[in-house]
Amino acid sequence: MSDVNNVRETRGTKVPKVVVMGVSGCGKSVTGTLLASELGVPFYDADDYHSRANVEKMAAGIPLTDADRLGWLDDLAKLMRREEGGLVLACSALKRAYRERLRNGNPQACFVYLKGDFETIWARHSRRTDHYFNGRAMLESQFQLLEEPGADENAVVVDVSGTPEQVIGHCLARLGYDRHL
């Protein structure tokens, strides 16, 4: 997958709507927060927009279905449309269909896919104590569901094995930004 083309028109102008995506525990929230700070745009975490029923289902170790996600994805696409400037959204966006739904009305959206192997992400995930996502089986289901972005999806791939600082540096470089704008 190549770097995102025309992510930004010129320095100081249109900042994109960036969706930081990947399986649970890959670092979407940390990366998204740091990336938004670097770009000077608001950060949103898609987890904050799940319905109570979805949160309860995940907390019980039950994977969400496509039907469970539809309203959530539509709400996120609306959020992206409302934000006239750039933004960074942390969202799993595991399937192409989910990314297409997020792009509804947001054709300029680009995706940063945080990629890592199961064991690395499980090790991070198992140290978390403040998240409703529950269990190894849930993470396995996300890896099974994951459709990596295709070359036609305006996406970049960033390996998650580095420190958060290194990951952000790779994100910015792949998006065509210099560090500390």
Side-chain angles (χ1 to χ4, degrees), residues 76-125:
L76 295 172
K78 287 177 196 169
L79 169 70
M80 291 172 66
R81 284 192 300 274
R82 279 194 309 263
E83 191 65 53
E84 292 190 20
L87 65 77
V88 174
L89 172 68
C91 179
S92 54
L94 297 175
K95 287 185 173 182
R96 177 183 280 266
Y98 302 166
R99 294 185 293 275
E100 288 172 0
R101 205 161 187 109
L102 289 171
R103 229 187 235 111
N104 182 16
N106 298 295
Q108 76 285 18
C110 60
F111 294 85
V112 172
Y113 168 40
L114 299 179
K115 183 176 182 171
D117 65 83
F118 182 86
E119 292 306 324
T120 298
I121 293 175
W122 175 245
R124 291 179 179 188
H125 205 290

Side-chain angles (χ1 to χ4, degrees), residues 31-161:
T31 301
T33 300
L34 293 171
L35 186 58
S37 177
E38 285 280 343
L39 296 174
V41 298
F43 169 74
Y44 299 94
D45 193 322
D47 284 346
D48 296 337
Y49 295 85
H50 272 296
S51 69
R52 181 176 195 82
N54 281 3
V55 171
E56 288 172 0
K57 196 171 184 179
M58 288 184 285
I62 302 167
L64 298 179
T65 65
D66 287 350
D68 293 329
R69 290 183 177 94
L70 293 182
W72 173 67
L73 290 166
D74 289 342
D75 289 345
L76 295 172
K78 287 177 196 169
L79 169 70
M80 291 172 66
R81 284 192 300 274
R82 279 194 309 263
E83 191 65 53
E84 292 190 20
L87 65 77
V88 174
L89 172 68
C91 179
S92 54
L94 297 175
K95 287 185 173 182
R96 177 183 280 266
Y98 302 166
R99 294 185 293 275
E100 288 172 0
R101 205 161 187 109
L102 289 171
R103 229 187 235 111
N104 182 16
N106 298 295
Q108 76 285 18
C110 60
F111 294 85
V112 172
Y113 168 40
L114 299 179
K115 183 176 182 171
D117 65 83
F118 182 86
E119 292 306 324
T120 298
I121 293 175
W122 175 245
R124 291 179 179 188
H125 205 290
S126 60
R127 290 189 298 264
R128 293 167 83 175
T129 59
D130 61 343
H131 200 271
Y132 52 76
F133 191 94
N134 186 8
R136 186 176 179 100
M138 290 278 294
L139 185 58
E140 287 170 348
S141 77
Q142 285 205 338
F143 268 91
Q144 290 167 359
L145 190 67
L146 177 64
E147 297 171 1
E148 293 188 354
D152 61 332
E153 290 191 72
N154 200 25
V156 297
V157 178
V158 176
D159 186 310
V160 299
S161 62

